[in-house]
Amino acid sequence: MLLNVPSKLDIVTTHERIRPFINRTPILSSDKINEICGCEVFFKCENLQKIGAFKARGGINAALSLEKDQVKYGICTHSSGNHAQAVALAAKMLGVKAYIVMPSNAPKPKVNGVIELGAELIFCEPTLEARENGVKEIIEKTGAIFIHPFDNYDVIAGQATASKELLEEKPDLDAILTPVGGGGLLSGTGLSAKYFSKKAKVYAGEPEGAADAVLSFKSGRVEKAPYIKTIADGLLTNLSEKTLAIIMETVTDILLVSDDEIIAALKLVFEHLKIIIEPSCAVPLAALIKNKELFKSQQVGIILSGGNVDLSQLIF
Amino acid sequence: MLLNVPSKLDIVTTHERIRPFINRTPILSSDKINEICGCEVFFKCENLQKIGAFKARGGINAALSLEKDQVKYGICTHSSGNHAQAVALAAKMLGVKAYIVMPSNAPKPKVNGVIELGAELIFCEPTLEARENGVKEIIEKTGAIFIHPFDNYDVIAGQATASKELLEEKPDLDAILTPVGGGGLLSGTGLSAKYFSKKAKVYAGEPEGAADAVLSFKSGRVEKAPYIKTIADGLLTNLSEKTLAIIMETVTDILLVSDDEIIAALKLVFEHLKIIIEPSCAVPLAALIKNKELFKSQQVGIILSGGNVDLSQLIF
């Protein structure tokens, strides 16, 4: 195993640390979706997590893992949304300041979520460079400590607890699927499957219009997507060195899906599970439906990553 | 207590009978909604129940309580939606035919749900008379046995199990709120609060545009609504003798809300709980928000009754 990668004990300890602050999210299923998929699917509903996304797990764990002295000037991050809310929530819990650098095109409910949690918001151009520069400035000015959205073992260990919980309730899963953006959830899920399951293989779904992880998984290097064009706004980032290394060792495959397939899966979840998810969150179900033969008659877990969608655009 | 009304033991036995066939639905909460309401609200998510509504509980219980010989020619009912699906599901479980008389204006997802469960569908004019005549014809023609949507103690005992589960997990509730249509859920909740809680008072929310229950509650007789005009399509029916008698004895008050208040509550649930509910289901939250002072700083349970809304009209 790689040096410093979260161990089984690390993930168990992480779970104990964050348990009082997170929701034990329900696991739902639907006969209709099982029929469509040709297998038994168990949905771990992280859209019903605090701040509406699994990111609460990693953000809270990373913040709680820091020494009191380290966080006295606050914590900061850059994020298009859900990790931003996670860091804002963690700061509120710790009673310290949060500084969030957000791209100017971040979805409104994610922006509002951060504001309502009392964080200081700094908007930037929607590029990785602008985000990173924004954070650098904040650190220099305030002394706040940076919590990376995924290239951080405490964050990865936090995200790993979602599939740990899933496996506690469904120990016989043959496979677990997650979406992949920066790879925090996917690498954490890979670790949990390795540590807490005898047989569960881990797969990711990735949008065709942000297909960096599938390339990185083939080459073994952090690659960029050939082009960015997808409805799945939470999955635009590349992997990092830390997440890629874990993914190479623990993940079976990364499956590409189109935006049409993502939207069809999103509708199925709205209609048959009666819950609200964001487009990124529908990606693993889309991948499962596209690759039915791979999962035929199996027990499959899907981590539903989040539900922070702009309903005013969709509905009202 | 009234003769033949379900006893505590009846409800416990009912719960054991239907437990293998229903979902133990999750209980969700939201800091934001708590803040808005000025109390702690626990939502029992029956929109995540089989067939997307609490009605699965009563329908399945009523069907399973019949002798094998009684159901050999099938079961039948009239319903605008959720009870229809419950009876169709119960028939499928028992391997007998289901005949459903549905008003021609029933919401599409509820119609589709019934068809997908393999029931025989008979459309009628959207009046109570037409529905009842439709059922009479079916019984004469087929010998099927009628399961009333609410004027049936086995149905009431089934609906009572939702708040029994809620009280098992939240024994210190000060109040429980439900919507009221025919009164099956409300009377069942009244019984469960009486049997399984030391202090929980039971309230109903009712739409101003279908205000029969509030009148019946005052007069002690089954009254009709002065007029029918509401978005809450599941709450149009009057109470029955059986449900009214239990409600008179176990319910504290019935609170009226406008359609605007229902829509505002619906939005809160979509945004902050990340789940899909139908308009009828938002009525008790609307009533709570309108009467905050009644529930100030209390622990309040709300039965979210169902999620069968036509998403194609709302969203896609």
Side-chain angles (χ1 to χ4, degrees), chain A residues 138 151 222:
Chain A
I138 293 292
D151 194 42
V222 174

Side-chain angles (χ1 to χ4, degrees), chain B residues 82-262:
Chain B
N82 288 333
H83 177 64
Q85 287 191 68
V87 168
L89 175 64
K92 195 179 171 187
M93 278 167 41
L94 292 172
V96 302
K97 285 211 72 166
Y99 304 92
I100 312 288
V101 178
M102 264 189 146
S104 50
N105 61 350
K108 204 177 140 199
K110 295 181 180 178
V111 175
N112 288 346
V114 170
I115 293 172
E116 283 181 10
L117 288 164
E120 190 165 315
L121 207 55
I122 302 99
F123 284 106
C124 71
E125 292 298 301
T127 67
L128 185 60
E129 206 193 342
R131 286 187 190 196
E132 287 177 347
N133 286 338
V135 162
K136 239 183 254 168
E137 267 179 48
I138 293 293
I139 294 172
E140 281 168 18
K141 222 167 71 181
T142 65
I145 189 158
F146 177 51
I147 298 178
H148 192 282
F150 49 87
D151 193 43
N152 175 318
Y153 287 133
D154 293 320
V155 170
I156 293 170
Q159 322 305 30
T161 60
S163 42
K164 175 172 180 284
E165 287 179 10
L166 176 60
L167 285 163
E168 281 166 7
E169 286 176 56
K170 302 288 171 194
D172 297 325
L173 291 181
D174 300 292
I176 305 179
L177 280 81
T178 77
V180 59
L185 178 63
L186 180 58
S187 58
T189 303
L191 292 176
S192 275
K194 188 182 162 91
Y195 298 146
F196 304 110
S197 165
K198 285 200 183 90
K199 59 174 177 178
K201 292 181 178 178
V202 173
Y203 294 83
E206 183 170 49
E208 287 172 1
D212 60 289
V214 72
L215 295 179
S216 308
F217 190 66
K218 273 185 196 141
S219 73
R221 291 186 309 264
V222 175
E223 308 277 359
K224 286 189 177 173
Y227 66 97
I228 296 281
K229 187 179 186 327
T230 172
I231 191 180
D233 62 73
L235 306 180
L236 307 185
T237 37
N238 305 327
L239 300 180
S240 72
E241 297 296 338
K242 290 191 178 70
T243 57
L244 175 60
I246 299 171
I247 288 167
M248 293 298 290
E249 199 168 307
T250 61
V251 169
T252 299
D253 208 357
I254 296 176
L255 309 166
L256 289 180
V257 291
S258 70
D259 271 17
D260 283 351
E261 289 159 344
I262 294 170

Side-chain angles (χ1 to χ4, degrees), chain A residues 47-48 273-274 276 307-308, chain B residues 47-48 273-274 276 307-308:
Chain A
N47 58 325
L48 308 180
L273 291 181
K274 311 288 181 200
I276 291 169
N308 291 318
Chain B
N47 58 325
L48 308 180
L273 291 182
K274 310 288 180 199
I276 290 167
N308 291 319

